[in-house]
């Protein structure tokens, strides 16, 4: 597969990309960048996560091949580009690191602090945070000018948009490298300010929040709300299908983060339904049960 990597990221073609976190987003990002010719180093502090991610990527690529959208040879070359690593320090050779760990400011700050002593003097450090202040993550880095938000959407191989979040110390060069890298992946990068939830997740809080309030009022079922939003609103997925895809825990963490950053403005208040689902471990597709139930096959398929 030809590389569409950007030579300006490192001065070479097909820069090596480190991915931190091998959950829903890390898996999709690893697949995306590997299928565009990049070597990928995939790390997670749960050692079982990267091999599981590799299995999911193989399933996804084989599905594309079965549909005739990918040559069989490309399945193997793409998989061969992904190396599962056991230590964060293995990312020392990466030209770009994309962090996709939990939506928790302290966890992300710890990762970026550790990356400061590991990464090379030119490595671009990106966070896939959905809502957290990138500037706050960057302050722990010894090179905040090389830290930026690179917010891919789920599923990363499919969704066109990437929000490039410029932190207060991000340099112009960092911004350009991030934009050009994402264009090389065939994406549409949009530069946005470092405000809570950036653009999409700020607007989307109300998409989920109103649907949850409607459900709690008892006037409609989950399936009815999803169907009406899709049929009449033209949305590809309803709010409950989308929350299941995102992960109820992730969506809840993002809502809480936006709510806190907006000084608990009522319009962003998280809904108790989400909290109860998180406490019950019904997290959506990834656990097989959320607002809907999923069998093993449908859990791994992109919608
Ligand atoms: N799920 C979505 O739809 C979506 C979309 C866009 C952005 N995001 C953002 O991407 C990030 C990841 O979300 P996700 O849905 O993939 O979450 P997830 O729960 O599926 O995966 C998170 C992974 O991070 C790992 N992890 C936790 N602490 C770690 C550490 N210290 N070092 C390395 N790995 C660690 C966990 O073991 C887990 O495998 C979050 O910031 C989230 O807000 C999520």
């Amino acid at each position: 597969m030809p590389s569409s990597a950007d030579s300006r990221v490192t001065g070479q073609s097909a820069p090596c990309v480190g991915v931190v976190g091998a959950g829903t987003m890390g898996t999709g990002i690893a697949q995306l960048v590997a299928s565009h010719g990049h070597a990928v180093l995939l790390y997670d502090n749960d050692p079982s996560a990267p091999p599981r991610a590799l299995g999911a990527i193989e399933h996804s690529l084989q599905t594309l091949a079965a549909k005739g959208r990918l040559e069989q040879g490309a399945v193997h070359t793409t998989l061969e580009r992904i190396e599962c690593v056991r230590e964060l320090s293995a990312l020392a050779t990466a030209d770009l690191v994309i962090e996709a760990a939990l939506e928790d400011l302290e966890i992300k700050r710890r990762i970026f602090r550790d990356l400061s002593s590991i990464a090379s003097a030119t490595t671009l450090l990106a966070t896939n945070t959905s809502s957290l202040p990138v500037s706050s993550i960057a302050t722990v880095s010894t090179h905040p000018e090389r830290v930026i938000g690179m917010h891919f959407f789920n599923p990363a191989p499919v969704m066109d948009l990437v929000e490039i979040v410029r932190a207060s110390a991000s340099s112009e060069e960092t911004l350009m490298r991030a934009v050009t890298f994402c264009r090389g992946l065939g994406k549409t990068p949009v530069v946005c300010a470092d405000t809570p939830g950036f653009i999409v997740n700020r607007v989307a809080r109300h998409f989920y929040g109103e649907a949850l309030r409607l459900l709690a009022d008892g006037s409609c079922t989950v399936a009815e709300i999803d169907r009406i939003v899709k049929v009449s609103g033209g949305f590809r997925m309803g709010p409950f299908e989308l929350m299941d895809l995102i992960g109820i825990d992730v969506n809840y963490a993002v809502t809480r983060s936006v709510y806190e950053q907006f000084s608990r403005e009522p319009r962003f208040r998280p809904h108790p339904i989400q909290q109860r689902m998180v406490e019950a471990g019904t997290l959506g597709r990834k656990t097989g049960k959320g607002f809907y139930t999923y069998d093993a096959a449908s859990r791994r398929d992109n919608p």
Side-chain angles (χ1 to χ4, degrees):
M1 180 177 292
S3 164
S4 57
D6 165 40
S7 60
R8 272 190 283 168
V9 173
T10 59
Q12 308 159 10
S13 61
C16 172
V17 178
V19 177
V20 180
T24 306
M25 290 310 291
T27 301
I29 292 167
Q31 176 180 332
L32 169 71
V33 296
S35 61
H36 282 77
H38 299 272
V40 176
L41 300 166
L42 184 57
Y43 167 77
D44 196 292
N45 67 347
D46 170 1
S48 68
R52 200 165 47 242
L54 208 53
I57 293 169
E58 181 168 12
H59 172 81
S60 170
L61 295 172
Q62 291 290 11
T63 304
L64 289 174
K67 290 179 181 167
R69 286 160 56 190
L70 190 69
E71 285 178 19
Q72 192 61 43
V75 173
H76 299 294
T77 48
T78 301
L79 289 171
E80 279 168 7
R81 291 189 190 113
I82 304 173
E83 185 185 344
C84 299
V85 299
R86 300 293 289 257
E87 304 291 337
L88 188 69
S89 57
L91 272 51
T93 54
D95 303 296
L96 160 64
V97 176
I98 304 172
E99 171 276 318
L102 297 178
E103 187 74 347
D104 179 302
L105 186 58
E106 280 323 303
I107 289 176
K108 291 190 189 294
R109 282 165 65 93
R110 212 173 308 134
I111 291 169
F112 276 77
R113 200 176 291 123
D114 293 345
L115 283 171
S116 282
S117 55
I118 291 166
S120 85
T122 55
T123 306
L124 192 66
L125 300 169
T127 173
N128 187 50
T129 180
S130 303
S131 65
L132 297 168
V134 180
S135 301
S136 173
I137 296 170
T139 51
V140 300
S141 172
T142 46
H143 289 286
E145 74 282 1
R146 283 193 268 117
V147 177
I148 196 144
M150 196 180 276
H151 183 214
F152 292 88
F153 290 81
N154 185 13
V158 176
M159 298 297 282
D160 181 50
L161 180 68
V162 184
E163 288 177 329
I164 303 293
V165 185
R166 182 177 205 160
S168 48
S170 306
S171 70
E172 196 61 33
E173 188 195 349
T174 294
L175 187 75
M176 289 320 299
R177 286 168 69 186
V179 165
T180 315
F181 173 75
C182 289
R183 285 201 182 122
L185 299 175
K187 301 295 183 191
T188 301
V190 171
V191 177
C192 55
D194 191 14
T195 53
F198 317 124
I199 302 169
V200 173
N201 269 315
R202 180 163 166 184
V203 173
R205 282 317 94 201
H206 309 297
F207 183 63
Y208 309 119
E210 286 309 320
L212 286 161
R213 283 186 272 276
L214 201 53
L215 180 66
D217 288 348
S219 46
C220 292
T221 65
V222 161
E224 282 168 346
I225 296 169
D226 276 350
R227 186 170 47 78
I228 291 164
V229 165
K230 286 190 290 185
V231 173
S232 304
F235 284 80
R236 192 158 160 227
M237 296 178 80
F240 297 101
E241 290 171 319
L242 196 48
M243 282 187 270
D244 273 1
L245 176 72
I246 290 164
I248 308 299
D249 53 340
V250 175
N251 194 275
Y252 181 56
V254 174
T255 306
R256 275 190 302 145
S257 155
V258 173
Y259 179 59
E260 292 299 333
Q261 291 179 74
F262 277 108
S263 306
R264 303 192 172 193
E265 277 189 35
R267 64 193 167 122
F268 291 115
R269 183 179 295 137
H271 200 281
I273 291 176
Q274 276 189 311
Q275 183 181 348
R276 283 200 294 273
M277 290 176 77
V278 172
E279 286 164 359
T282 49
L283 306 182
R285 277 175 183 253
K286 60 186 167 188
T287 57
K289 186 160 172 44
F291 290 104
Y292 299 93
T293 50
Y294 304 87
D295 59 23
S298 64
R299 278 169 66 178
R300 298 197 328 160
D301 285 334
N302 284 334

